[in-house]
Amino acid sequence: RGGYLARVGASGAPDDVEDRYIQQALTAYVRGLLDAAAVMLGAASEHLMILTVSDIGAADAAVQVDADRALQGPAAGMARFARAYFFDRRGQLPRELRESLDTTFTGIADLIRQARNDGGHPALPAVDRDRVFVLLQLYPDYRSWLIRAR
């Protein structure tokens, strides 16, 4: 647990909201509450997305209205906004972020969101232990990408 939290914190200490969700995701995973773990990891990811879209809006007046609109909607809309923003400015990103935009940002975000939906909706399939394990392992890299891009 401590090693995992150190990996998460390597890109900067999580704020209280993200830390709460990560702690709950880990506890749920260890106790075999896999749907709960997926939902909590998704909540941590959504929190990062809210921070990212807020930072984009604050830093770029040309998209502030669109960012504010995205923040008022569902998480999928925020992710679409951030994805479009970063893709439109791909050439301005540092090389390592540009080269991992599709995989680390878009790919991992989609996997986490899908697992959150699956784990939190009774009509969708439950998540299994391996899937949650993989997502927990990917989360620190995803988090680091977002923090560096912000």
PDB file of all heavy atoms in Angstrom, residues 21-48:
ATOM      1  N   TYR A  21     -10.359   9.245  -2.453  1.00  0.00           N
ATOM      2  CA  TYR A  21     -10.810   8.256  -3.436  1.00  0.00           C
ATOM      3  C   TYR A  21      -9.779   7.154  -3.655  1.00  0.00           C
ATOM      4  O   TYR A  21     -10.132   5.981  -3.775  1.00  0.00           O
ATOM      5  CB  TYR A  21     -11.140   8.932  -4.767  1.00  0.00           C
ATOM      6  CG  TYR A  21     -12.391   9.778  -4.730  1.00  0.00           C
ATOM      7  CD1 TYR A  21     -12.397  11.033  -5.316  1.00  0.00           C
ATOM      8  CD2 TYR A  21     -13.562   9.329  -4.127  1.00  0.00           C
ATOM      9  CE1 TYR A  21     -13.541  11.819  -5.304  1.00  0.00           C
ATOM     10  CE2 TYR A  21     -14.703  10.111  -4.108  1.00  0.00           C
ATOM     11  CZ  TYR A  21     -14.686  11.356  -4.709  1.00  0.00           C
ATOM     12  OH  TYR A  21     -15.820  12.127  -4.698  1.00  0.00           O
ATOM     13  N   ILE A  22      -8.506   7.515  -3.718  1.00  0.00           N
ATOM     14  CA  ILE A  22      -7.460   6.505  -3.911  1.00  0.00           C
ATOM     15  C   ILE A  22      -7.406   5.559  -2.715  1.00  0.00           C
ATOM     16  O   ILE A  22      -7.305   4.338  -2.877  1.00  0.00           O
ATOM     17  CB  ILE A  22      -6.081   7.177  -4.140  1.00  0.00           C
ATOM     18  CG1 ILE A  22      -6.074   7.931  -5.459  1.00  0.00           C
ATOM     19  CG2 ILE A  22      -4.953   6.156  -4.100  1.00  0.00           C
ATOM     20  CD1 ILE A  22      -6.272   7.072  -6.684  1.00  0.00           C
ATOM     21  N   GLN A  23      -7.460   6.116  -1.512  1.00  0.00           N
ATOM     22  CA  GLN A  23      -7.446   5.272  -0.305  1.00  0.00           C
ATOM     23  C   GLN A  23      -8.627   4.294  -0.312  1.00  0.00           C
ATOM     24  O   GLN A  23      -8.475   3.113   0.019  1.00  0.00           O
ATOM     25  CB  GLN A  23      -7.494   6.146   0.951  1.00  0.00           C
ATOM     26  CG  GLN A  23      -6.284   7.014   1.166  1.00  0.00           C
ATOM     27  CD  GLN A  23      -5.073   6.254   1.687  1.00  0.00           C
ATOM     28  OE1 GLN A  23      -5.154   5.088   2.044  1.00  0.00           O
ATOM     29  NE2 GLN A  23      -3.952   6.927   1.721  1.00  0.00           N
ATOM     30  N   GLN A  24      -9.798   4.795  -0.674  1.00  0.00           N
ATOM     31  CA  GLN A  24     -10.980   3.933  -0.719  1.00  0.00           C
ATOM     32  C   GLN A  24     -10.854   2.876  -1.816  1.00  0.00           C
ATOM     33  O   GLN A  24     -11.267   1.730  -1.622  1.00  0.00           O
ATOM     34  CB  GLN A  24     -12.249   4.763  -0.909  1.00  0.00           C
ATOM     35  CG  GLN A  24     -12.603   5.568   0.330  1.00  0.00           C
ATOM     36  CD  GLN A  24     -13.863   6.376   0.142  1.00  0.00           C
ATOM     37  OE1 GLN A  24     -14.783   5.989  -0.584  1.00  0.00           O
ATOM     38  NE2 GLN A  24     -13.936   7.518   0.812  1.00  0.00           N
ATOM     39  N   ALA A  25     -10.296   3.254  -2.961  1.00  0.00           N
ATOM     40  CA  ALA A  25     -10.101   2.279  -4.042  1.00  0.00           C
ATOM     41  C   ALA A  25      -9.172   1.159  -3.590  1.00  0.00           C
ATOM     42  O   ALA A  25      -9.448  -0.027  -3.827  1.00  0.00           O
ATOM     43  CB  ALA A  25      -9.537   2.971  -5.283  1.00  0.00           C
ATOM     44  N   LEU A  26      -8.081   1.518  -2.932  1.00  0.00           N
ATOM     45  CA  LEU A  26      -7.145   0.496  -2.445  1.00  0.00           C
ATOM     46  C   LEU A  26      -7.780  -0.404  -1.395  1.00  0.00           C
ATOM     47  O   LEU A  26      -7.622  -1.631  -1.438  1.00  0.00           O
ATOM     48  CB  LEU A  26      -5.896   1.162  -1.869  1.00  0.00           C
ATOM     49  CG  LEU A  26      -4.938   1.774  -2.877  1.00  0.00           C
ATOM     50  CD1 LEU A  26      -3.834   2.533  -2.160  1.00  0.00           C
ATOM     51  CD2 LEU A  26      -4.365   0.708  -3.781  1.00  0.00           C
ATOM     52  N   THR A  27      -8.473   0.192  -0.443  1.00  0.00           N
ATOM     53  CA  THR A  27      -9.124  -0.594   0.601  1.00  0.00           C
ATOM     54  C   THR A  27     -10.152  -1.543  -0.005  1.00  0.00           C
ATOM     55  O   THR A  27     -10.215  -2.726   0.356  1.00  0.00           O
ATOM     56  CB  THR A  27      -9.788   0.336   1.638  1.00  0.00           C
ATOM     57  OG1 THR A  27      -8.767   1.147   2.229  1.00  0.00           O
ATOM     58  CG2 THR A  27     -10.509  -0.448   2.711  1.00  0.00           C
ATOM     59  N   ALA A  28     -10.942  -1.039  -0.933  1.00  0.00           N
ATOM     60  CA  ALA A  28     -11.957  -1.873  -1.584  1.00  0.00           C
ATOM     61  C   ALA A  28     -11.294  -3.009  -2.359  1.00  0.00           C
ATOM     62  O   ALA A  28     -11.754  -4.157  -2.310  1.00  0.00           O
ATOM     63  CB  ALA A  28     -12.833  -1.030  -2.491  1.00  0.00           C
ATOM     64  N   TYR A  29     -10.213  -2.720  -3.058  1.00  0.00           N
ATOM     65  CA  TYR A  29      -9.510  -3.754  -3.823  1.00  0.00           C
ATOM     66  C   TYR A  29      -8.995  -4.854  -2.908  1.00  0.00           C
ATOM     67  O   TYR A  29      -9.205  -6.037  -3.166  1.00  0.00           O
ATOM     68  CB  TYR A  29      -8.359  -3.130  -4.619  1.00  0.00           C
ATOM     69  CG  TYR A  29      -7.563  -4.160  -5.370  1.00  0.00           C
ATOM     70  CD1 TYR A  29      -8.053  -4.716  -6.545  1.00  0.00           C
ATOM     71  CD2 TYR A  29      -6.341  -4.603  -4.888  1.00  0.00           C
ATOM     72  CE1 TYR A  29      -7.337  -5.682  -7.225  1.00  0.00           C
ATOM     73  CE2 TYR A  29      -5.617  -5.569  -5.564  1.00  0.00           C
ATOM     74  CZ  TYR A  29      -6.120  -6.110  -6.731  1.00  0.00           C
ATOM     75  OH  TYR A  29      -5.409  -7.083  -7.393  1.00  0.00           O
ATOM     76  N   VAL A  30      -8.332  -4.465  -1.833  1.00  0.00           N
ATOM     77  CA  VAL A  30      -7.772  -5.443  -0.891  1.00  0.00           C
ATOM     78  C   VAL A  30      -8.871  -6.313  -0.284  1.00  0.00           C
ATOM     79  O   VAL A  30      -8.686  -7.518  -0.075  1.00  0.00           O
ATOM     80  CB  VAL A  30      -6.958  -4.720   0.210  1.00  0.00           C
ATOM     81  CG1 VAL A  30      -6.617  -5.646   1.362  1.00  0.00           C
ATOM     82  CG2 VAL A  30      -5.707  -4.107  -0.394  1.00  0.00           C
ATOM     83  N   ARG A  31     -10.020  -5.738  -0.047  1.00  0.00           N
ATOM     84  CA  ARG A  31     -11.143  -6.478   0.551  1.00  0.00           C
ATOM     85  C   ARG A  31     -11.988  -7.221  -0.477  1.00  0.00           C
ATOM     86  O   ARG A  31     -12.987  -7.841  -0.123  1.00  0.00           O
ATOM     87  CB  ARG A  31     -12.014  -5.527   1.357  1.00  0.00           C
ATOM     88  CG  ARG A  31     -11.274  -5.000   2.574  1.00  0.00           C
ATOM     89  CD  ARG A  31     -12.131  -4.132   3.417  1.00  0.00           C
ATOM     90  NE  ARG A  31     -11.366  -3.680   4.576  1.00  0.00           N
ATOM     91  CZ  ARG A  31     -11.792  -2.809   5.437  1.00  0.00           C
ATOM     92  NH1 ARG A  31     -12.996  -2.267   5.310  1.00  0.00           N
ATOM     93  NH2 ARG A  31     -11.036  -2.442   6.446  1.00  0.00           N
ATOM     94  N   GLY A  32     -11.607  -7.148  -1.732  1.00  0.00           N
ATOM     95  CA  GLY A  32     -12.331  -7.860  -2.773  1.00  0.00           C
ATOM     96  C   GLY A  32     -13.609  -7.176  -3.228  1.00  0.00           C
ATOM     97  O   GLY A  32     -14.445  -7.799  -3.880  1.00  0.00           O
ATOM     98  N   LEU A  33     -13.749  -5.903  -2.923  1.00  0.00           N
ATOM     99  CA  LEU A  33     -14.920  -5.128  -3.344  1.00  0.00           C
ATOM    100  C   LEU A  33     -14.556  -4.435  -4.661  1.00  0.00           C
ATOM    101  O   LEU A  33     -14.285  -3.241  -4.715  1.00  0.00           O
ATOM    102  CB  LEU A  33     -15.303  -4.121  -2.260  1.00  0.00           C
ATOM    103  CG  LEU A  33     -15.567  -4.731  -0.874  1.00  0.00           C
ATOM    104  CD1 LEU A  33     -15.682  -3.640   0.175  1.00  0.00           C
ATOM    105  CD2 LEU A  33     -16.807  -5.595  -0.925  1.00  0.00           C
ATOM    106  N   LEU A  34     -14.554  -5.214  -5.712  1.00  0.00           N
ATOM    107  CA  LEU A  34     -13.966  -4.778  -6.970  1.00  0.00           C
ATOM    108  C   LEU A  34     -14.785  -3.703  -7.671  1.00  0.00           C
ATOM    109  O   LEU A  34     -14.214  -2.777  -8.258  1.00  0.00           O
ATOM    110  CB  LEU A  34     -13.740  -5.986  -7.867  1.00  0.00           C
ATOM    111  CG  LEU A  34     -12.863  -7.064  -7.198  1.00  0.00           C
ATOM    112  CD1 LEU A  34     -12.779  -8.295  -8.064  1.00  0.00           C
ATOM    113  CD2 LEU A  34     -11.489  -6.520  -6.863  1.00  0.00           C
ATOM    114  N   ASP A  35     -16.107  -3.816  -7.639  1.00  0.00           N
ATOM    115  CA  ASP A  35     -16.926  -2.755  -8.225  1.00  0.00           C
ATOM    116  C   ASP A  35     -16.676  -1.436  -7.493  1.00  0.00           C
ATOM    117  O   ASP A  35     -16.525  -0.382  -8.124  1.00  0.00           O
ATOM    118  CB  ASP A  35     -18.418  -3.112  -8.160  1.00  0.00           C
ATOM    119  CG  ASP A  35     -18.801  -4.235  -9.111  1.00  0.00           C
ATOM    120  OD1 ASP A  35     -18.104  -4.428 -10.117  1.00  0.00           O
ATOM    121  OD2 ASP A  35     -19.813  -4.904  -8.839  1.00  0.00           O
ATOM    122  N   ALA A  36     -16.620  -1.506  -6.185  1.00  0.00           N
ATOM    123  CA  ALA A  36     -16.370  -0.293  -5.389  1.00  0.00           C
ATOM    124  C   ALA A  36     -14.993   0.284  -5.701  1.00  0.00           C
ATOM    125  O   ALA A  36     -14.835   1.505  -5.807  1.00  0.00           O
ATOM    126  CB  ALA A  36     -16.504  -0.596  -3.900  1.00  0.00           C
ATOM    127  N   ALA A  37     -14.004  -0.577  -5.860  1.00  0.00           N
ATOM    128  CA  ALA A  37     -12.656  -0.113  -6.185  1.00  0.00           C
ATOM    129  C   ALA A  37     -12.653   0.604  -7.535  1.00  0.00           C
ATOM    130  O   ALA A  37     -12.052   1.669  -7.679  1.00  0.00           O
ATOM    131  CB  ALA A  37     -11.679  -1.277  -6.202  1.00  0.00           C
ATOM    132  N   ALA A  38     -13.348   0.038  -8.516  1.00  0.00           N
ATOM    133  CA  ALA A  38     -13.407   0.659  -9.847  1.00  0.00           C
ATOM    134  C   ALA A  38     -14.126   2.008  -9.789  1.00  0.00           C
ATOM    135  O   ALA A  38     -13.700   2.972 -10.429  1.00  0.00           O
ATOM    136  CB  ALA A  38     -14.100  -0.273 -10.831  1.00  0.00           C
ATOM    137  N   VAL A  39     -15.189   2.078  -9.021  1.00  0.00           N
ATOM    138  CA  VAL A  39     -15.931   3.336  -8.905  1.00  0.00           C
ATOM    139  C   VAL A  39     -15.081   4.397  -8.216  1.00  0.00           C
ATOM    140  O   VAL A  39     -15.034   5.550  -8.657  1.00  0.00           O
ATOM    141  CB  VAL A  39     -17.273   3.114  -8.176  1.00  0.00           C
ATOM    142  CG1 VAL A  39     -17.938   4.433  -7.832  1.00  0.00           C
ATOM    143  CG2 VAL A  39     -18.206   2.255  -9.027  1.00  0.00           C
ATOM    144  N   MET A  40     -14.380   4.039  -7.174  1.00  0.00           N
ATOM    145  CA  MET A  40     -13.546   5.014  -6.468  1.00  0.00           C
ATOM    146  C   MET A  40     -12.360   5.461  -7.315  1.00  0.00           C
ATOM    147  O   MET A  40     -11.996   6.644  -7.309  1.00  0.00           O
ATOM    148  CB  MET A  40     -13.055   4.442  -5.128  1.00  0.00           C
ATOM    149  CG  MET A  40     -14.146   4.293  -4.082  1.00  0.00           C
ATOM    150  SD  MET A  40     -14.897   5.879  -3.633  1.00  0.00           S
ATOM    151  CE  MET A  40     -16.397   5.849  -4.610  1.00  0.00           C
ATOM    152  N   LEU A  41     -11.760   4.553  -8.057  1.00  0.00           N
ATOM    153  CA  LEU A  41     -10.674   4.947  -8.950  1.00  0.00           C
ATOM    154  C   LEU A  41     -11.213   5.880 -10.037  1.00  0.00           C
ATOM    155  O   LEU A  41     -10.568   6.867 -10.401  1.00  0.00           O
ATOM    156  CB  LEU A  41     -10.011   3.722  -9.569  1.00  0.00           C
ATOM    157  CG  LEU A  41      -8.723   3.984 -10.324  1.00  0.00           C
ATOM    158  CD1 LEU A  41      -7.651   4.565  -9.402  1.00  0.00           C
ATOM    159  CD2 LEU A  41      -8.229   2.713 -10.978  1.00  0.00           C
ATOM    160  N   GLY A  42     -12.410   5.582 -10.525  1.00  0.00           N
ATOM    161  CA  GLY A  42     -13.053   6.467 -11.498  1.00  0.00           C
ATOM    162  C   GLY A  42     -13.338   7.841 -10.918  1.00  0.00           C
ATOM    163  O   GLY A  42     -13.205   8.854 -11.606  1.00  0.00           O
ATOM    164  N   ALA A  43     -13.719   7.880  -9.658  1.00  0.00           N
ATOM    165  CA  ALA A  43     -13.974   9.167  -9.007  1.00  0.00           C
ATOM    166  C   ALA A  43     -12.681   9.968  -8.877  1.00  0.00           C
ATOM    167  O   ALA A  43     -12.670  11.190  -9.087  1.00  0.00           O
ATOM    168  CB  ALA A  43     -14.621   8.956  -7.642  1.00  0.00           C
ATOM    169  N   ALA A  44     -11.579   9.301  -8.553  1.00  0.00           N
ATOM    170  CA  ALA A  44     -10.281   9.984  -8.484  1.00  0.00           C
ATOM    171  C   ALA A  44      -9.907  10.531  -9.856  1.00  0.00           C
ATOM    172  O   ALA A  44      -9.443  11.674  -9.976  1.00  0.00           O
ATOM    173  CB  ALA A  44      -9.203   9.026  -7.976  1.00  0.00           C
ATOM    174  N   SER A  45     -10.135   9.740 -10.890  1.00  0.00           N
ATOM    175  CA  SER A  45      -9.842  10.167 -12.248  1.00  0.00           C
ATOM    176  C   SER A  45     -10.716  11.352 -12.652  1.00  0.00           C
ATOM    177  O   SER A  45     -10.231  12.321 -13.257  1.00  0.00           O
ATOM    178  CB  SER A  45     -10.061   8.996 -13.217  1.00  0.00           C
ATOM    179  OG  SER A  45      -9.904   9.415 -14.544  1.00  0.00           O
ATOM    180  N   GLU A  46     -11.987  11.298 -12.311  1.00  0.00           N
ATOM    181  CA  GLU A  46     -12.880  12.408 -12.631  1.00  0.00           C
ATOM    182  C   GLU A  46     -12.446  13.683 -11.900  1.00  0.00           C
ATOM    183  O   GLU A  46     -12.487  14.776 -12.470  1.00  0.00           O
ATOM    184  CB  GLU A  46     -14.322  12.076 -12.275  1.00  0.00           C
ATOM    185  CG  GLU A  46     -15.292  13.171 -12.648  1.00  0.00           C
ATOM    186  CD  GLU A  46     -16.744  12.800 -12.453  1.00  0.00           C
ATOM    187  OE1 GLU A  46     -17.086  11.602 -12.471  1.00  0.00           O
ATOM    188  OE2 GLU A  46     -17.553  13.733 -12.270  1.00  0.00           O
ATOM    189  N   HIS A  47     -12.016  13.539 -10.674  1.00  0.00           N
ATOM    190  CA  HIS A  47     -11.524  14.699  -9.929  1.00  0.00           C
ATOM    191  C   HIS A  47     -10.334  15.330 -10.654  1.00  0.00           C
ATOM    192  O   HIS A  47     -10.254  16.558 -10.801  1.00  0.00           O
ATOM    193  CB  HIS A  47     -11.157  14.295  -8.498  1.00  0.00           C
ATOM    194  CG  HIS A  47     -10.590  15.415  -7.695  1.00  0.00           C
ATOM    195  ND1 HIS A  47     -11.326  16.522  -7.325  1.00  0.00           N
ATOM    196  CD2 HIS A  47      -9.343  15.610  -7.202  1.00  0.00           C
ATOM    197  CE1 HIS A  47     -10.567  17.349  -6.637  1.00  0.00           C
ATOM    198  NE2 HIS A  47      -9.356  16.816  -6.551  1.00  0.00           N
ATOM    199  N   LEU A  48      -9.410  14.500 -11.130  1.00  0.00           N
ATOM    200  CA  LEU A  48      -8.275  15.028 -11.892  1.00  0.00           C
ATOM    201  C   LEU A  48      -8.744  15.717 -13.167  1.00  0.00           C
ATOM    202  O   LEU A  48      -8.175  16.737 -13.575  1.00  0.00           O
ATOM    203  CB  LEU A  48      -7.308  13.900 -12.258  1.00  0.00           C
ATOM    204  CG  LEU A  48      -6.452  13.338 -11.141  1.00  0.00           C
ATOM    205  CD1 LEU A  48      -5.597  12.201 -11.671  1.00  0.00           C
ATOM    206  CD2 LEU A  48      -5.586  14.420 -10.523  1.00  0.00           C
TER     207      LEU A  48
END
